[in-house]
Amino acid sequence: MAALAARLGSRRGGWLVGATLIGGSVTSVRALSTPATSRKVIMTREDPRLGQPTLMIGPERPDSLVVVLHGLGDSARGWESLADMLAPRFPSTRFILPTAPSQPVTLNGGYVMPSWYDLIGLERRDAETCEGIDDSRAAVLDLLDEQYAEEGSKLSPNVTVLAGFSQGGAVALWTGLQGDHNPLAGVVCMSGYLPQPQAFTPGPAALATPVLLLHGEADPVVRFEFALQTEAALKSHKFDVRMESYPELEHSANLEEIEDVSTFLRAVLPPQ
């Protein structure tokens, strides 16, 4: 049990190189956590920029919102267990997990899989064109606006956290820290990186958004050096950035990391 708690992860979602799947997602948290008692809904959304399903976990009238974006090749289901673990701790929070659209990925020889944008390689993240990332950004912002516009909604950017793993973490940074929207309550990037750092233009209000970066130092897919580069780039723009690293963690998540996410949420969301 100690070994299981030390490293949770699967090889269900991620990069496909040759015939080897080398990504990761959290799939084992449910067995070690209190089952969620909140309402769970599969949302049907006619938006070609998103895949299926979009999961919604939490109360009908939430006071805060957390959106979790999965990594390459995964889906909302890959991070459902994370929301199930956190929902009982945050009973006034709605968790939404969308799924990326399925599209060819250059890195994987044109293989079609859920992907927030196209990836060319693993070596130079600053050289990636990230074709399609702005469509994904627009889709996520529209999803947020729908939540804010819901009848009787108490939701707004300042009670919203945008989180993501790997490619989803890149989209969280690209979406949550640019534009002219009001600052979010926070942005969380797990095992991810800042895409297109030369083109990244933080919105003036976004500079008030706290950022949590979490990364395994043994990650062979999104190397730890990319997390350090992301931290440096964001700090150069004067963002409030906190970095947590995990010495033996590869491209996945563990319980220590999830506890760090929980601590961050408790600090930036309204009391529950």
Side-chain angles (χ1 to χ4, degrees):
M1 181 65 74
L4 177 61
R7 264 202 67 215
L8 297 180
S10 78
R11 299 300 186 208
R12 286 208 314 148
W15 283 273
L16 192 65
V17 180
T20 306
L21 193 60
I22 57 172
S25 62
V26 175
T27 59
S28 303
V29 172
R30 184 192 303 272
L32 299 178
S33 63
T34 303
T37 57
S38 54
R39 161 179 176 265
K40 184 178 295 187
V41 175
I42 298 176
M43 302 169 64
T44 301
R45 305 182 71 259
E46 299 300 326
D47 187 339
R49 300 168 301 179
L50 292 176
Q52 299 293 340
T54 295
L55 301 179
M56 182 171 67
I57 299 169
E60 287 192 56
R61 292 288 179 260
D63 293 332
S64 53
L65 177 66
V66 175
V67 176
V68 182
L69 306 176
H70 63 77
L72 177 66
D74 204 353
S75 75
R77 294 291 188 189
W79 288 84
E80 183 180 3
S81 54
L82 171 67
D84 283 345
M85 180 180 184
L86 293 177
R89 305 183 187 189
F90 299 93
S92 300
T93 300
R94 173 178 291 170
F95 292 83
I96 293 185
L97 293 79
T99 295
S102 291
Q103 56 187 306
V105 176
T106 301
L107 171 66
N108 293 331
Y111 187 87
V112 175
M113 59 171 59
S115 180
W116 297 108
Y117 54 88
D118 192 26
L119 277 167
I120 306 299
L122 298 176
E123 295 302 317
R124 287 282 308 278
R125 296 313 166 94
D126 58 347
E128 292 280 342
T129 60
C130 303
E131 183 178 348
I133 195 171
D134 286 323
D135 288 338
S136 291
R137 179 178 183 271
V140 172
L141 290 174
D142 286 348
L143 179 62
L144 295 180
D145 285 341
E146 288 175 11
Q147 294 298 305
Y148 303 153
E150 198 174 83
E151 185 176 356
S153 175
K154 300 177 183 178
L155 300 176
S156 62
N158 69 339
V159 292
T160 299
V161 171
L162 188 56
F165 176 82
S166 193
Q167 190 192 47
V171 174
L173 293 172
W174 188 255
T175 301
L177 302 181
Q178 297 190 100
D180 57 2
H181 55 75
N182 291 330
L184 300 180
V187 171
V188 178
C189 178
M190 299 174 282
S191 302
Y193 58 96
L194 180 65
Q196 295 184 295
Q198 299 90 342
F200 177 73
T201 306
L207 291 172
T209 302
V211 181
L212 177 63
L213 304 177
L214 310 112
H215 215 102
E217 295 179 19
D219 191 332
V221 178
V222 181
R223 298 196 303 271
F224 184 55
E225 66 186 83
F226 298 134
L228 296 176
Q229 291 168 5
T230 295
E231 179 187 27
L234 293 177
K235 285 186 174 180
S236 75
H237 290 291
K238 309 304 182 185
F239 279 101
D240 177 13
V241 181
R242 173 184 157 200
M243 164 78 88
E244 298 290 348
S245 62
Y246 311 91
E248 298 181 4
L249 184 65
E250 297 186 5
H251 198 61
S252 58
N254 63 15
L255 283 179
E256 182 182 0
E257 183 177 9
I258 301 309
E259 289 300 327
D260 286 337
V261 171
S262 181
T263 298
F264 180 78
L265 295 181
R266 204 163 292 284
V268 301
L269 294 179
Q272 311 200 28

